[in-house]
Amino acid sequence: VTLGMESGFGSDFGSGGGGGGKLDPGLIMEQVKVQIAVANAQELLQRMTDKCFRKCIGKPGGALDNSEQKCIAMCMDRYMDSWNTVSRAYNSRLQRERANM
């Protein structure tokens, strides 16, 4: 997953020489967190689209029929529920492991 960090930080890193431009590690971490969240959302959307399209659309055409629409809606709901369940389990495991350090 490409985060594209080079676009937002180039001027910050280059300005640290002459006394005015200090790097703010907190700000940088927040920017990285936002970029990771955006990359995760894009990955989720791409995977969900690929899987649900393959599952629900037999022959692509100009419009979706009722059964295809229902299939896609159900598929996306299930995929989001699964993603959220896995994310919660992963986050709670990370928190437990950090607490045990």
Side-chain angles (χ1 to χ4, degrees):
V1 176
T2 302
L3 297 178
M5 290 189 296
E6 63 277 354
S7 64
F9 299 121
S11 61
D12 289 341
F13 289 131
S15 65
K22 266 190 166 179
L23 292 177
D24 181 1
L27 177 62
I28 292 172
M29 285 305 295
E30 283 304 311
Q31 289 175 343
V32 169
K33 286 178 184 178
V34 167
Q35 290 175 345
I36 289 171
V38 168
N40 282 337
Q42 288 172 334
E43 180 183 358
L44 168 64
L45 186 59
Q46 184 62 47
R47 284 186 180 183
M48 185 171 49
T49 301
D50 290 344
K51 289 183 184 294
C52 292
F53 185 88
R54 274 189 261 122
K55 176 181 173 25
C56 297
I57 310 300
K59 292 182 179 180
L64 299 175
D65 65 28
N66 274 348
S67 64
E68 290 171 332
Q69 289 178 16
K70 288 178 184 175
C71 180
I72 287 175
M74 296 283 289
C75 178
M76 291 176 73
D77 287 344
R78 280 191 226 114
Y79 199 92
M80 288 297 293
D81 288 343
S82 300
W83 180 276
N84 288 331
T85 300
V86 170
S87 294
R88 281 192 300 271
Y90 180 73
N91 286 332
S92 65
R93 182 173 179 178
L94 279 178
Q95 289 174 356
R96 280 195 311 269
E97 288 180 7
R98 285 181 184 156
N100 292 332
M101 289 183 163

